[in-house]
Amino acid sequence: MRRPILIASLLLAVLFGCTPKAELPVYLDENKALDERVSDALSRMTTEEKIAIIHAQSKFSSPGVPRLGIPELWTTDGPHGIRPEVLWDEWNQAGWTNDSIIAFPALTCLAASWNPEMSALYGKSIGEEARYREKDVLLGPGVNIARTPLNGRNFEYMGEDPYLAGEMVVPYIKEVQANGVATCVKHYCLNNEETHRHSVDINLDDRALYEIYLPAFKKAVQEGGSWSIMASYNLYQGQHVCHNDRLLNQILKGEWGFDGAVITDWGGCHDTDEAIHNGLDLEFGTWTNGLTMGATNAYDNYFLALPYLQKIRSGEVGTEELDQKAARVLKLIMRTAMNGNKPLGNKCSEAHYAAARRIADEGIVLLRNENGNLPVKADAKKILVVGENAVKMMTVGGGSSSLKVQKEISPLDGIRARAAQNGAEVVYVRGYVGDVTGSYNGVVTGQDLNDERSAEELIAEAVEAAAQADQVIFVGGLNKAKHQDCEGKDRKELGLPYGQDAVIEALAEANPALSVVLVSGNPVAMPWIENVASVVEAWYIGSEAGEAIADVLFGDVNPSGKLPFTFPLALADSPAHQEGMAFPNNGETYYEEGILVGYRWFDTKQIPVLFPFGHGLSYTTFEYSDAKLNSSLVKGATSITLKVSVKNTGDRAGAEVVQLYIKDNESSVLRPEKELKGFQKVYLEPGQSKTVSFRISKEALQYFDADAHEWKAEDGEFEALVGASAGDIRSSVSFKYHN
Ligand code: BGC
């Protein structure tokens, strides 16, 4: 007998004096349809009980219906690991000693793997950890589009392209939910800046909304089947998204048929009437009427608590909306907390650490590699490592994704351990001092990173050491401090902070065998690029950081990651930073660039970039054949097939991400120069070839016609472009579309 059924039977015995063999009430019978169970539970609940389940009872939980044995619903951040336990009413630590966890790579790194199998592995692993920690809702993953490289939270998202983010988010969701843990995909939507995230009011044309900012959420809902979604803090068309009629009622629940629960971002609800009518289901994190965090009756003052109940009691509003909200929350509880078939989960297992490392190995991007500088030579006997990010713990900080890890291997430790296998000595010098703090909501790194020496002294030390080294590895970039990669704040500049450019220039002059490893969740400017032999984008990798970085630097893993966003040459080149446009924004804001986000902008406007979207090198080389189509006409709903063969022409095994872009050659409306419509990662032994095929159908050719409110493909000529990045098209072939 399954555990919940047994418990239910016993409960019945107590409640109704029946024997355990008596028939189960419908809401507890997992053989019955979900909607039937929900209606049955609803029919047994009082108005007060319905009100209770649609708002929080603590920082991260809502109460369930204790009288009916319906359990509490426990949420947790997300998205890179399971957050440590906090006190009931506070953000600070509960002080548990059994909640240390694995930090998986940040979602930018996952997206950079361009491998949906890695997404599935990620979802499975983090889902099992959430399940083991008895969480019902994982607050993630995030698929906000990287509109600007200054957004402090880009590291939590999956890049600038809706197709890539959409393809990558679906397997993550499915695998998390296979554990009886709901994903809560965030932050729906248009949460593209942090500074004024509670008050910025986004306005944009419908083409941009439907073509750029919504597709990944739509896939998360319709293909991933996410059981919940987190509404974002910002406003859209003058109304907070947490109770935005258009985004929640009309689009999410209406057009997409979302059957899960809409959960507020923490403190995102601002109005009882709007919350009642505009599609919100579950309220968390509100700071009401000055009853700030921790006031004992704060939860009763939530917008969907007593204020709502009073409106029902006075007859001002009916109970139809309440029933709908309670039904969605009950469904969420039945899918998760009351799910009698869910696996047990596990945490911090060897398999999960291995998964974290594998995902990182696939997501690290080799941006530049001149003269075979990397991998590190086996006969390099003296390796110099420079830079704060070689030693700084990156899992603490950055906002709600901050973690309390069981282990975090620093880049320096990873490099040292691997170099020892070659009998090489590793020397470390600091190079620069950046952020020496190391705590978040009571979790402390315990590292003392203080160094009182001047920038000149640190550079002089680094230069002297570099002159004596066989190879030099600088590990820098950004970090999780405010105005770097951090929630609630945005970056202030594209350039590297803390004077790192000067350190890199000096090192490059002292030793040409220099590799720059960037730890960041965003693009950075690289004024020194021509002087540096190798550049690696290593993202925030979490627990296995050092090991994965060493895997790639020493060539044990052949890099295969590709950029999920463009690295611009200068901030002013970026679409959100054109002349006359401000960032960050507050109040009413218009997205002037419309659909031209990321590479769509740079390509269409022919603006040169530092590294294009989709770029990433390998230690081997790949040759593409000419792309061939099986027909040159896509007719109506039919599709055609494109085939291209890719050969590994180097001497080591490696993987290439073959990318398919579509260009509309004849169009009556503005179309981007090209748009990603397919990708496949292929593993090839030296000399091996594989044929990759893509189906091209009408869906890949469409734009959103805002006036007609429908997707349209126009008759005429299109081009299929196949390449290794948006800036490296290897083959193109044209075809026609006819309705
Ligand atoms: C963040 C969410 C997070 C929530 C709970 C908010 O401030 O925006 O992403 O899930 O807090 O920690």
Side-chain angles (χ1 to χ4, degrees):
M1 195 184 253
R2 288 184 302 226
R3 201 169 44 144
I5 295 178
L6 176 66
I7 295 168
S9 309
L10 293 171
L11 190 76
L12 262 178
V14 175
L15 284 179
F16 306 110
C18 325
T19 65
K21 279 194 186 129
E23 206 179 308
L24 278 175
V26 171
Y27 76 95
L28 290 174
D29 186 348
E30 293 197 67
N31 295 315
K32 293 275 188 323
L34 197 52
D35 286 336
E36 210 184 321
R37 293 175 59 206
V38 167
S39 305
D40 181 56
L42 214 50
S43 73
R44 296 166 191 267
M45 288 165 65
T46 64
T47 302
E48 288 73 13
E49 283 170 337
K50 291 175 190 170
I51 288 283
I53 63 166
I54 63 166
H55 65 86
Q57 61 167 358
S58 75
K59 277 276 164 261
F60 283 103
S61 72
S62 71
V65 193
R67 182 178 63 85
L68 298 177
I70 295 175
E72 296 172 336
L73 183 78
W74 277 90
T75 68
T76 180
D77 287 301
H80 307 136
I82 311 306
R83 186 175 175 147
E85 303 298 332
V86 299
L87 292 168
W88 190 256
D89 268 338
E90 290 169 35
W91 293 108
N92 262 325
Q93 299 307 295
W96 291 21
T97 48
N98 59 352
D99 57 352
S100 299
I101 207 77
I102 295 186
F104 292 92
L107 294 190
T108 39
C109 179
L110 173 63
S113 76
W114 290 59
N115 186 351
E117 278 175 32
M118 290 304 106
S119 265
L121 180 64
Y122 198 124
K124 178 179 188 305
S125 312
I126 196 171
E128 286 172 354
E129 303 235 325
R131 169 65 191 104
Y132 188 86
R133 288 268 301 274
E134 300 192 340
K135 304 302 180 190
D136 306 308
V137 181
L138 177 69
L139 302 176
V143 286
N144 292 94
I145 292 297
R147 175 176 177 253
T148 152
L150 297 195
N151 182 351
R153 276 188 107 169
N154 279 345
F155 74 98
E156 290 186 64
Y157 304 140
M158 299 204 197
E160 72 186 18
D161 182 75
Y163 182 81
L164 176 65
E167 291 299 294
M168 294 300 286
V169 79
V170 169
Y172 183 120
I173 293 169
K174 287 188 171 159
E175 289 295 332
V176 168
Q177 294 193 161
N179 289 285
V181 174
T183 50
C184 186
V185 180
K186 64 195 190 183
H187 305 89
Y188 177 77
C189 60
L190 302 167
N191 189 172
N192 308 113
E193 78 163 65
E194 287 299 296
T195 311
H196 304 292
R197 59 180 175 165
H198 294 279
S199 51
V200 65
D201 174 13
I202 309 300
N203 294 270
L204 74 173
D205 63 64
D206 260 12
R207 265 195 81 186
L209 180 67
Y210 276 79
E211 291 185 24
I212 306 295
Y213 297 98
L214 293 184
F217 288 105
K218 186 179 179 190
K219 273 193 187 156
V221 166
Q222 294 191 329
E223 292 176 32
S226 186
W227 293 332
S228 67
I229 203 159
M230 183 186 286
S232 58
Y233 283 137
N234 51 289
L235 295 89
Y236 164 68
Q237 292 187 340
Q239 198 169 55
H240 276 103
V241 177
C242 282
H243 23 83
N244 190 290
D245 182 54
R246 181 158 199 236
L247 292 175
L248 302 184
N249 281 337
Q250 295 175 36
I251 297 177
L252 177 66
K253 293 182 175 175
E255 291 178 21
W256 301 350
F258 175 62
D259 81 339
V262 175
I263 302 179
T264 58
D265 197 344
W266 268 228
C269 186
H270 299 271
D271 184 275
T272 299
D273 285 317
E274 285 188 3
I276 293 172
H277 298 290
N278 293 353
L280 176 64
D281 299 310
L282 182 49
E283 180 186 3
F284 268 99
T286 305
W287 312 306
T288 50
N289 305 333
L291 294 175
T292 55
M293 300 167 259
T296 46
N297 63 345
Y299 298 103
D300 291 339
N301 289 283
Y302 270 36
F303 293 99
L304 287 182
L306 284 179
Y308 190 6
L309 190 58
Q310 274 152 11
K311 281 178 190 281
I312 291 174
R313 284 183 178 149
S314 71
E316 191 187 328
V317 293
T319 52
E320 191 190 336
E321 295 85 1
L322 177 63
D323 282 341
Q324 287 166 359
K325 293 176 201 303
R328 283 176 184 264
V329 174
L330 282 170
K331 197 182 245 187
L332 182 60
I333 296 176
M334 287 180 187
R335 282 167 156 165
T336 58
M338 283 174 83
N339 178 345
N341 295 316
K342 57 188 176 189
L344 294 172
N346 66 82
K347 74 159 184 156
C348 297
S349 59
E350 261 180 48
H352 289 179
Y353 278 112
R357 183 165 175 179
R358 199 167 153 217
I359 295 160
D361 282 343
E362 287 220 14
I364 293 174
V365 185
L366 179 63
L367 292 173
R368 176 180 165 91
N369 196 24
E370 296 297 296
N371 312 319
N373 179 58
L374 284 177
V376 170
K377 309 281 164 300
D379 61 0
K381 291 296 170 223
K382 195 158 190 186
I383 297 169
L384 173 69
V385 176
V386 187
E388 183 171 287
N389 285 356
V391 293
K392 183 174 173 60
M393 275 183 77
M394 290 293 183
T395 51
V396 177
S400 54
S401 61
S402 181
L403 293 168
K404 178 168 118 188
V405 286
Q406 191 196 49
K407 124 180 157 182
E408 178 174 349
I409 309 284
S410 71
L412 178 61
D413 285 344
I415 291 167
R416 202 166 251 157
R418 181 58 184 81
Q421 292 174 25
N422 293 354
E425 178 200 355
V426 172
V427 174
Y428 172 72
V429 299
R430 183 67 175 270
Y432 68 94
V433 178
D435 168 56
V436 297
T437 61
S439 70
Y440 185 80
N441 281 163
V443 176
V444 291
T445 63
Q447 291 186 300
D448 180 4
L449 294 175
N450 285 298
D451 193 321
E452 298 304 325
R453 289 174 293 168
S454 70
E456 292 71 29
E457 285 171 305
L458 292 169
I459 290 179
E461 178 192 46
V463 165
E464 195 188 324
Q468 292 158 30
D470 296 321
Q471 294 212 236
V472 181
I473 301 167
F474 174 85
V475 188
L478 308 176
N479 56 42
K480 302 284 189 66
K482 289 191 174 109
H483 299 299
Q484 301 298 319
D485 286 317
C486 183
E487 179 178 340
K489 300 273 179 257
D490 292 295
R491 295 169 68 201
K492 291 185 165 165
E493 60 200 358
L494 188 65
L496 282 173
Y498 318 124
Q500 291 176 75
D501 288 340
V503 186
I504 295 169
E505 293 282 13
L507 288 172
E509 210 165 292
N511 192 327
L514 172 65
S515 302
V516 170
V517 177
L518 294 166
V519 175
S520 78
N522 259 314
V524 299
M526 303 182 198
W528 32 259
I529 188 74
E530 292 304 326
N531 303 331
V532 170
S534 306
V535 183
V536 173
E537 176 55 69
W539 315 113
Y540 297 104
I541 297 178
S543 291
E544 294 286 21
E547 283 170 334
I549 287 171
D551 286 342
V552 167
L553 291 179
F554 286 80
D556 301 331
V557 163
N558 192 351
S560 63
K562 300 268 188 174
L563 290 178
F565 37 60
T566 311
F567 276 48
L569 277 164
L571 188 62
D573 294 345
S574 294
H577 301 271
Q578 304 163 54
E579 212 183 317
M581 285 177 70
F583 184 88
N585 291 285
N586 200 357
E588 207 173 320
T589 294
Y590 196 82
Y591 284 2
E592 304 276 353
E593 74 284 2
I595 54 168
L596 297 183
V597 176
Y599 67 92
R600 286 168 170 77
W601 167 264
F602 295 102
D603 284 0
T604 309
K605 302 281 180 188
Q606 299 189 330
I607 299 172
V609 299
L610 179 58
F611 295 113
F613 173 77
H615 171 75
L617 304 173
S618 165
Y619 295 142
T620 186
T621 46
F622 300 101
E623 208 174 270
Y624 287 58
S625 72
D626 285 343
K628 296 245 165 22
L629 292 170
N630 68 342
S631 158
S632 56
L633 177 68
V634 177
K635 178 103 183 76
T638 63
S639 59
I640 58 174
T641 303
L642 178 145
K643 289 200 161 134
V644 63
S645 111
V646 184
K647 183 174 183 187
N648 181 347
T649 47
D651 57 7
R652 44 167 94 211
E656 171 69 325
V657 178
V658 183
Q659 302 162 38
L660 168 72
Y661 296 86
I662 298 287
K663 175 177 183 182
D664 189 348
N665 281 340
E666 283 174 62
S667 176
S668 66
V669 297
L670 170 77
R671 300 293 307 258
E673 170 66 19
K674 60 180 179 293
E675 296 183 273
L676 183 74
K677 295 294 172 182
F679 61 89
Q680 273 177 51
K681 195 163 197 173
V682 276
Y683 294 83
L684 296 166
E685 295 297 325
Q688 193 188 2
S689 302
K690 273 187 192 162
T691 300
V692 175
S693 39
F694 296 101
R695 269 194 30 223
I696 302 175
S697 58
K698 186 179 169 182
E699 281 64 47
L701 316 178
Q702 294 171 325
Y703 73 95
F704 189 76
D705 180 341
D707 294 333
H709 197 74
E710 65 184 22
W711 291 91
K712 271 194 188 152
E714 286 186 314
D715 285 1
E717 195 187 73
F718 289 83
E719 224 167 315
L721 310 163
V722 178
S725 82
D728 184 8
I729 298 302
R730 303 286 181 91
S731 177
S732 73
V733 51
S734 60
F735 62 95
K736 288 206 156 83
Y737 171 77
H738 280 304
N739 209 334

